[in-house]
Amino acid sequence: MELMTIDEVAERLRVPVLTIRWLRQEGRFAPAIKVGRRLVWDVKDIDAWLEAQREGTPAA
């Protein structure tokens, strides 16, 4: 299991850390793992969340 911090997740998605925090607060982001007071994310969960965000192909 490869874990990423919020800074690493934000860098990977090319968005500000505040965007990750907002999406998480809204319940619209991959589930985090709490380690003490820190939040980390499994890379597999981030990849699955990204795939779920993919737009479908337009209807012809």
Side-chain angles (χ1 to χ4, degrees):
M1 178 184 303
E2 183 181 349
L3 301 176
M4 298 174 70
T5 65
I6 194 167
D7 292 317
E8 293 169 332
V9 171
E11 184 177 325
R12 180 172 180 172
L13 300 181
R14 298 180 183 166
V15 298
V17 169
L18 288 176
T19 300
I20 302 299
R21 288 184 178 148
W22 177 77
L23 286 169
R24 183 176 173 274
Q25 182 178 355
E26 294 289 313
R28 297 172 43 200
F29 196 60
I33 301 166
K34 196 161 190 177
V35 179
R37 294 175 60 191
R38 273 178 93 168
L39 294 174
V40 293
W41 284 264
D42 188 336
V43 171
K44 292 177 185 176
D45 291 338
I46 297 298
D47 290 342
W49 180 83
L50 276 173
E51 190 61 34
Q53 303 311 303
R54 186 181 301 268
E55 292 181 355
T57 56

